[in-house]
Amino acid sequence: MLRQQDVGHRIVVRRIVGIREGRPLFTDALGELVELSESHITLATDTGRLQVPVGEVHRAKRVPPARRPTAAAVVALELAADEAWPAPVRERLGDWLLRSADGWTGRANSALPVGDPDRPLPAALDAVQRWYADHGRPALVNTPLPLAAPVGAELDARGWDARPPVLVQTVPLAALPAGRADLPPVELTATPSEDWLATAEARKGGLPDVARHVLTAVDRVRFAHVYADGRLLAAGRGTVTGGGRWLGLTSIEVLPEARRQGLAGRVIRSLVDWGVAEGATHAFLQVEQRNTPAVTLYRGLGFTTHHTYLTRVAPA
């Protein structure tokens, strides 16, 4: 049966739809799992959203993606994402990237093992650990899958732990729905306001000086603000990277009391309009697989999983 870790992945559900001559009748549904609850399995199929009561489920399991992206496509997207979230301290190990930002966020403080490290894999991982030790940081490695599966296998052998899986999701900008006109307007600025930064600080548990570099050191970036009665209710950040193709969506946040009103979609739509004006054609975002509400929101907007990654943590 399915688990919460399967949200965001392609599944097949065999359901009971009736009884004929004392025997159950079955039908199969194939799509992306968007919600798993005690009462229902909800999946997005080619013909629309389907909610299947658990009592009708005969069997359900994850299946391979319809089509895996090429290695070159994964590398290009990972590099665009790195460009959109730039660590202030960075160095190359062959093609690999070593990144540090005083521990603020895993993405900015991990090695990205894409390409050739210019040495045997064990030696490359030894060099990664030395580099982070020299910078006074624990060694982290982001492993895009299945591209970095050999790296993951070597880390398994070394006893490295793994943080929860992250889905890298994409959508063509032309496929995103139009925004709702009845919601408050979105203000886009080239720099984050103090209210925006305070929201990010609350979410991330702190905002050191290096965080401003990570957030702002991108040539094309916009910060979204939604106010009501002088109070910031929703925020977001958009970047255009990857040679101008990719709109990166990060830091999408809605205050708890303002959720389920469509404000997140409103923020995303405004950033999409800006990205289109900048020449971008596709959007990407990164979301933890276990964050079911966010995965459900993004799936409803048309996002699908391009690939996943694991952040691997060196043993203490």
Side-chain angles (χ1 to χ4, degrees), residues 145-251:
L145 300 174
L147 178 68
V151 177
E154 178 67 21
L155 295 176
D156 287 340
R158 294 177 178 224
W160 287 46
D161 291 330
R163 292 181 179 174
V166 172
L167 309 178
V168 181
Q169 299 198 310
T170 63
V171 67
L173 294 184
L176 283 163
R180 287 171 49 185
D182 61 325
L183 295 174
V186 179
E187 178 186 354
L188 297 184
T189 60
T191 56
S193 68
E194 290 303 316
D195 290 335
W196 197 104
L197 292 171
T199 299
E201 182 175 10
R203 182 179 64 255
K204 296 291 188 182
L207 208 66
D209 290 341
V210 296
R212 292 178 182 262
H213 176 96
V214 174
L215 291 168
T216 63
V218 182
D219 289 340
R220 290 190 278 178
V221 60
R222 287 295 183 272
F223 297 86
H225 308 70
V226 178
Y227 286 96
D229 298 324
R231 187 181 183 200
L232 183 67
L233 296 183
R237 173 177 175 270
T239 55
V240 173
T241 60
R245 179 188 183 194
W246 289 105
L247 169 69
L249 297 171
T250 56
S251 304

Side-chain angles (χ1 to χ4, degrees), residues 124-148:
L125 293 174
D126 290 342
V128 168
Q129 289 194 266
R130 287 194 301 270
W131 191 86
Y132 282 98
D134 290 344
H135 287 78
R137 304 301 315 169
L140 303 177
V141 177
N142 271 12
T143 54
L145 300 174
L147 178 68

Side-chain angles (χ1 to χ4, degrees), residues 104-126:
W104 192 72
T105 76
R107 279 177 286 170
N109 290 274
S110 58
L112 180 61
V114 295
D116 183 359
D118 200 27
R119 65 205 69 195
L121 180 55
L125 293 174
D126 290 342

